[in-house]
Amino acid sequence: MKMFSRLCFCAFIILESLCTIEAAPVGSPRRVYSLDEGWRFHLGEAPEAVAPDYNDSAWRQVDVPHDYVVEGSFVPSDPGTSPGSKPSWFSLHAFLPVKSAVYRKELPIPADAKGKRLWLEFDGVFNNSRYWLNGREVYSQYSGYTRARFDITTATDFGGRNVLVVQIDPRYEGWWYEGGGIYRHARMVVLDPVHIAPDGVFVAPQLADPGDGVRADADIKISTALANAGDVPAEATVLNEVFDATGKVIATTSSAQALAARADATVSQSISLSGATLWSVETPYLYKLRSTVSLAGKIVDQTTAAFGVRHIRFDAAHGFFLNGKHVKLKGVNMHQDHAGVGVAVPDRLFTWRLERLKEMGCNAIRLSHNPVTPFLLDECDRMGILVMAENRNLGDVYVDQTPKDAPAVEHRELSALILRDRNHPSIFCWSLCNEQWIQGTPESGAMVRAMMKRVRELDPTRVITAALNGGFDTPEGIIGQLDVIGINYNPWVYDGVHAQFSKVPMIASEIASEIGTRGIYATEHWENYYGDRERGYVAAYSITAGPAGQTVENAWPPVAERENIAGGFVWAGFDYKGEPRPFEWPVINCHYGFFDICGFPKDSYYYYKAWWSDEPVLHLFPHWNWPGREGQEIPVWVHSNCDEVELFLNGVSLGRQTVKPLHHLEWKVKYAPGTLLVRGFKGGKEILTDKVETTGQPVAVNLAADRTTITADGKDVAVFTVQVADAKGRMVPTANDAITFAITGPGKIIGVGNGDPSSHEPDQFVATKDNPSPKWSRSLFNGLAQVLVQSTQAPGEIKLTATGKGLEPASVTVQTTPKEFSK
């Protein structure tokens, strides 16, 4: 084996430590084993580690998903460890140095597995990865977002010792924080030579008429791709069964298929469902398809796939329709990192984030700008959230901006995206790319036509779009090829584009880019921004937007008021590491979200909730702690969907205002300590109140968990919110106290954060030889911090304790229960 001087990740696999995971039905001959636990990890160069007999006993043990870059320290300039980077990229990627590293894991495969086929699957490895088994290179992949899947059968020593090595030499793909490592789930698949091909089942429900929008007759088209990896022909039987949500079989179909040796074949079938329950945002009903392959009556493979039946229609004049009902897409753009854990986001945390979005009326997300972890799409299916799934780049390139002479032939990443995700009912369209400089050229038009041809070969059921920020008047470019025109920003071009392409539907694929820092109400003005320039904070009032962006009140109304625009996707739902515009150091993450990076809402969250949800909303800000500013005017804002709002200071009315739809209310109030209160009226009746009070100094820590019970599976997570209270029990909104955390029981802290875009405190405290038991801590930022606690596989009681200097401590317990007892 040729050795080489690359920085790398390496991995060993031990079968006895693997857990079967639910990716195949119980009783299926197919076996799927999680590879998430027990990797050996080393940060730095170790080219010799690809040798099977390499001794990794001194290396640190970690589980995946794992982001090792977030474990590092923020530095103002690149120390030269970030391979392949440009000077500007270091700040755009959050001022965290990027190195390669090493993992190991041993996999004894029993002798009786000989004759089976073995695959390895990695949902996401960032990036530029190479894979070695027993000293033999078996696969390589550049993309950090596309799943790596490869056959290891011929490289396996059945009954012997097997060593897998994953080498990673990260290179930036985007202009935001991307992390590094095996940051999504990994697994091994063992199956018979005759089997269902990877991503081989495509379920395509078809509706001629959505009926009453709740139930309709459907024709379920099923395509099952078979593979015969054996040396002899086979006569296979393919049985497909549809289960309803209660687990009852409601329809079946069966077909015979001859398979030549070392050959593939596809079986096409159809099942009629009379009065099928439709999947919608309000009632996301899911069916399950079980696909079974048999030889001479013996089952040799079996898989399941969830699917939904729904009818989607775009109208150039009237927008988007789901099951015959007009739906305005109220969406957000999302990157994939979170405070404390970087890009290695636990599944439960994705669910927690989606729950926050759903609560405020969001009904759609754009996956910007790359394929995401499969679990996120599963949750969108389950929760009823529509998805615009986006390909990473235009054509087969790995640079952000595709050159004019780029080939458009293989479309590897695009094909992988479509094949993996095409059964998800939540996905309503495919997006080919984002903001390409050549988007108005004939070359880009040709590339898009080739890409669209490939998409339709794999999935003819969905429309195709792309996110454009230019080339709006050049039909020979991307815009002239699309099923649905996607426009990023530029609301002033909506009407002109609609006039020129009057028969093509439109969607605002990216809007806003308002910049604001949670809890910051300074209004110093510099350039085009307002806030605290020295500390790198932007005012939380909706008065600042990024380059080419708009504030919420300039971004959403042009979408909401135009029936022909299907909806809009706000940039962004959550803050994320990197892209610290308009700043450089000391800022290490963006300010674009209406949630901060911890998922704490900013004030603009309530603007969207007011106009996206049917729930009455009345939100008053800022806080009312302004010592030394007595008698000075403070801008006081209210976001509300009430008819009228009246403001009071210490019981004295400061006037009642009528709410203008899609806009905020504002008063100038001379500061006096006490209580600022608003009353909201609907139809002349008071329906809501909100208030902010001048608080005292912090005297006690307050700790709260999002749930009291989690699953003892080593993966589930409880999200703890940390605050401090004054002597009257009121939360102190300006507090920045340092809080230390201790944990007992079957759980571990996996990350901390506070939403401060200029904080250089560590997100993680990694045990070292010199400090085997580091203390976890985090300062509050404007009254808030967050702790992420993960279960182990042992049931019991986790106790988290939070302490601060001069503060009464707080403790909260969370129970962990075995998986079979958890809801």
Side-chain angles (χ1 to χ4, degrees):
M1 178 183 64
K2 183 179 179 181
M3 309 298 283
F4 53 91
S5 58
R6 282 181 176 267
L7 301 172
C8 58
F9 268 136
C10 305
F12 280 148
I13 312 172
I14 301 178
L15 187 60
E16 285 83 352
S17 69
L18 304 181
C19 298
T20 303
I21 61 177
E22 190 179 349
V26 175
S28 171
R30 175 183 293 227
R31 290 290 178 263
V32 184
Y33 301 95
S34 171
L35 302 184
D36 285 355
E37 295 180 5
W39 295 80
R40 290 288 182 174
F41 172 79
H42 168 73
L43 180 63
E45 223 178 89
E48 68 280 6
V50 297
D53 59 354
Y54 180 84
N55 182 3
D56 66 356
S57 60
W59 291 4
R60 180 176 146 216
Q61 184 168 311
V62 301
D63 297 334
V64 303
H66 176 230
D67 177 0
Y68 67 88
V69 175
V70 79
E71 298 172 349
S73 299
F74 300 100
V75 292
S77 59
D78 190 347
T81 60
S82 303
S85 68
K86 298 178 181 178
S88 62
W89 281 0
F90 187 69
S91 64
L92 292 175
H93 289 74
F95 295 99
L96 282 169
V98 176
K99 297 181 180 180
S100 299
V102 182
Y103 291 93
R104 289 182 69 103
K105 201 173 165 58
E106 186 177 333
L107 173 61
I109 300 174
D112 61 8
K114 193 173 182 64
K116 303 283 189 180
R117 305 300 299 184
L118 279 73
W119 302 333
L120 295 183
E121 296 178 351
F122 293 81
D123 286 336
V125 180
F126 202 87
N127 76 341
N128 192 25
S129 56
R130 300 174 69 184
Y131 301 81
W132 308 71
L133 185 65
N134 300 330
R136 170 182 167 187
E137 187 167 10
V138 291
Y139 191 71
S140 65
Q141 178 166 289
Y142 186 89
S143 176
Y145 299 105
T146 298
R147 176 181 54 196
R149 176 197 277 133
F150 49 96
D151 193 304
I152 61 168
T153 307
T154 59
T156 297
D157 183 2
F158 292 92
R161 182 171 179 265
N162 292 273
V163 178
L164 176 71
V165 176
V166 184
Q167 296 191 335
I168 304 174
D169 191 15
R171 296 289 190 272
Y172 295 132
E173 289 189 56
W175 57 93
W176 56 87
Y177 176 77
E178 297 177 287
I182 304 174
Y183 73 98
R184 294 179 184 164
H185 296 300
R187 67 194 62 83
M188 181 175 71
V189 182
V190 181
L191 68 173
D192 281 15
V194 176
H195 53 265
I196 296 170
D199 299 320
V201 177
F202 179 31
V203 193
Q206 297 183 4
L207 293 175
D209 188 324
D212 62 2
V214 178
R215 292 181 178 273
D217 296 338
D219 185 19
I220 313 300
K221 301 293 184 183
I222 307 166
S223 174
T224 308
L226 303 178
N228 181 6
D231 295 324
V232 296
E235 186 73 25
T237 298
V238 177
L239 171 66
N240 273 301
E241 304 165 279
V242 175
F243 293 75
D244 65 13
T246 70
K248 178 183 176 182
V249 177
I250 58 173
T252 65
T253 184
S254 180
S255 301
Q257 177 65 51
L259 286 169
R262 303 285 176 179
D264 302 332
T266 299
V267 176
S268 298
Q269 298 169 313
S270 181
I271 293 178
S272 295
L273 287 185
S274 178
T277 301
L278 303 186
W279 184 97
S280 69
V281 171
E282 298 80 14
T283 56
Y285 191 93
L286 293 174
Y287 292 93
K288 183 177 287 186
L289 181 77
R290 183 169 69 186
S291 303
T292 304
V293 180
S294 301
L295 299 181
K298 178 185 177 183
I299 296 176
V300 294
D301 197 12
Q302 194 175 73
T303 65
T304 61
F307 71 95
V309 178
R310 80 281 189 278
H311 183 275
I312 285 174
R313 179 172 67 87
F314 277 88
D315 186 287
H318 304 292
F320 176 76
F321 292 80
L322 178 62
N323 302 328
K325 174 185 174 183
H326 182 264
V327 175
K328 198 74 166 184
L329 295 169
K330 302 166 183 175
V332 303
N333 289 268
M334 284 176 57
H335 279 315
Q336 60 180 353
D337 66 304
H338 190 92
V341 292
V343 296
V345 178
D347 289 349
R348 169 58 197 170
L349 197 51
F350 278 119
T351 303
W352 184 88
R353 287 159 64 100
L354 291 175
E355 289 170 349
R356 304 287 82 74
L357 291 171
K358 190 88 172 174
E359 287 169 0
M360 51 82 70
C362 175
N363 62 15
I365 59 175
R366 173 179 172 228
L367 304 177
S368 40
H369 308 287
N370 49 262
V372 297
T373 181
F375 178 82
L376 179 59
L377 294 172
D378 291 340
E379 288 296 86
C380 290
D381 292 344
R382 182 184 65 84
M383 296 171 66
I385 298 176
L386 291 157
V387 174
M388 179 190 292
E390 189 158 87
N391 182 53
R392 178 66 199 92
N393 286 308
L394 178 66
D396 280 335
V397 299
Y398 293 103
V399 293
D400 170 52
Q401 295 295 334
T402 301
K404 287 186 176 182
D405 58 352
V409 286
E410 296 181 13
H411 300 127
R412 298 156 297 185
E413 315 305 332
L414 176 64
S415 297
L417 168 68
I418 307 301
L419 285 167
R420 192 195 71 170
D421 296 340
R422 58 188 175 173
N423 288 331
H424 289 283
S426 56
I427 296 178
F428 69 93
C429 74
W430 303 111
S431 175
L432 300 180
C433 61
N434 174 73
E435 295 183 0
Q436 294 292 301
W437 290 340
I438 65 169
Q439 58 203 335
T441 66
E443 291 89 347
S444 69
M447 291 180 194
V448 163
R449 286 193 296 274
M451 295 173 76
M452 292 178 71
K453 180 177 182 293
R454 181 56 176 157
V455 171
R456 288 181 174 131
E457 290 170 354
L458 302 175
D459 176 19
T461 70
R462 291 178 175 88
V463 298
I464 301 170
T465 188
L468 309 177
N469 66 341
F472 299 125
D473 57 355
T474 52
E476 66 274 16
I478 293 177
I479 196 169
Q481 323 307 318
L482 301 172
D483 298 328
V484 176
I485 295 170
I487 297 179
N488 286 8
Y489 310 107
N490 297 283
W492 45 86
V493 308
Y494 292 165
D495 295 338
V497 170
H498 180 56
Q500 184 174 5
F501 302 93
S502 60
K503 295 183 179 180
V504 185
M506 290 170 52
I507 194 165
S509 41
E510 193 170 315
I511 64 173
S513 280
E514 178 178 289
I515 301 178
T517 309
R518 177 181 56 78
I520 295 295
Y521 302 102
T523 55
E524 169 198 348
H525 185 208
W526 77 98
E527 298 175 1
N528 294 320
Y529 307 102
Y530 297 85
D532 185 332
R533 179 67 184 89
E534 183 177 345
R535 294 190 296 168
Y537 301 143
V538 181
Y541 300 111
S542 295
I543 53 178
T544 296
Q550 292 79 46
T551 61
V552 295
E553 291 177 53
N554 290 322
W556 180 245
V559 175
E561 294 166 352
R562 286 169 170 79
E563 186 179 357
N564 66 294
I565 297 183
F569 292 82
V570 175
W571 194 275
F574 297 83
D575 284 353
Y576 49 90
K577 276 187 168 58
E579 207 170 357
R581 299 186 180 107
F583 308 99
E584 291 291 327
W585 185 266
V587 183
I588 50 85
N589 69 249
C590 82
H591 303 64
Y592 291 126
F594 52 68
F595 288 103
D596 70 17
I597 198 169
C598 292
F600 296 129
K602 303 180 188 178
D603 296 298
S604 58
Y605 160 93
Y606 296 95
Y607 170 86
Y608 290 109
K609 185 171 185 177
W611 305 114
W612 283 7
S613 75
D614 296 326
E615 180 182 336
V617 172
L618 183 64
H619 174 67
L620 169 68
F621 61 102
H623 60 74
W624 209 236
N625 286 10
W626 300 101
R629 296 191 61 181
E630 287 78 5
Q632 297 181 25
E633 283 192 341
I634 305 292
V636 172
W637 284 34
V638 171
H639 288 312
S640 180
N641 53 13
C642 294
D643 295 337
E644 295 179 303
V645 173
E646 188 170 6
L647 179 69
F648 297 83
L649 175 59
N650 295 327
V652 177
S653 175
L654 301 182
R656 183 184 293 202
Q657 295 188 28
T658 299
V659 175
K660 180 181 178 182
L662 305 178
H663 291 80
H664 75 282
L665 300 173
E666 186 174 349
W667 289 259
K668 299 290 186 182
V669 180
K670 291 183 178 180
Y671 176 65
T675 300
L676 197 63
L677 179 142
V678 283
R679 302 183 186 276
F681 300 86
K682 201 89 168 177
K685 295 182 179 180
E686 181 181 317
I687 61 170
L688 286 174
T689 63
D690 191 23
K691 68 178 180 180
V692 291
E693 295 181 282
T694 307
T695 67
Q697 294 300 308
V699 299
V701 182
N702 185 284
L703 194 61
D706 71 314
R707 294 180 298 157
T708 58
T709 303
I710 63 175
T711 305
D713 59 359
K715 301 179 184 297
D716 204 0
V717 170
V719 181
F720 287 80
T721 298
V722 190
Q723 296 177 313
V724 291
D726 69 4
K728 294 183 178 181
R730 299 172 297 188
M731 297 303 105
V732 182
T734 55
N736 295 306
D737 300 76
I739 308 297
T740 300
F741 307 102
I743 191 168
T744 60
K748 60 183 179 180
I749 300 174
I750 60 170
V752 291
N754 62 12
D756 181 352
S758 296
S759 175
H760 302 153
E761 297 178 42
D763 282 33
Q764 299 195 358
F765 291 78
V766 178
T768 64
K769 185 177 181 180
D770 296 332
N771 187 16
S773 300
K775 288 186 177 181
W776 288 78
S777 65
R778 191 72 171 192
S779 296
L780 301 177
F781 176 61
N782 291 329
L784 293 170
Q786 185 177 82
V787 184
L788 304 176
V789 172
Q790 191 167 58
S791 66
T792 66
Q793 295 191 2
E797 187 176 83
I798 300 172
K799 182 178 181 180
L800 182 69
T801 299
T803 59
K805 185 177 181 180
L807 302 173
E808 182 182 341
S811 295
V812 170
T813 59
V814 172
Q815 194 71 31
T816 67
T817 60
K819 186 174 182 179
E820 58 267 29
F821 299 113
S822 299
K823 294 183 180 180

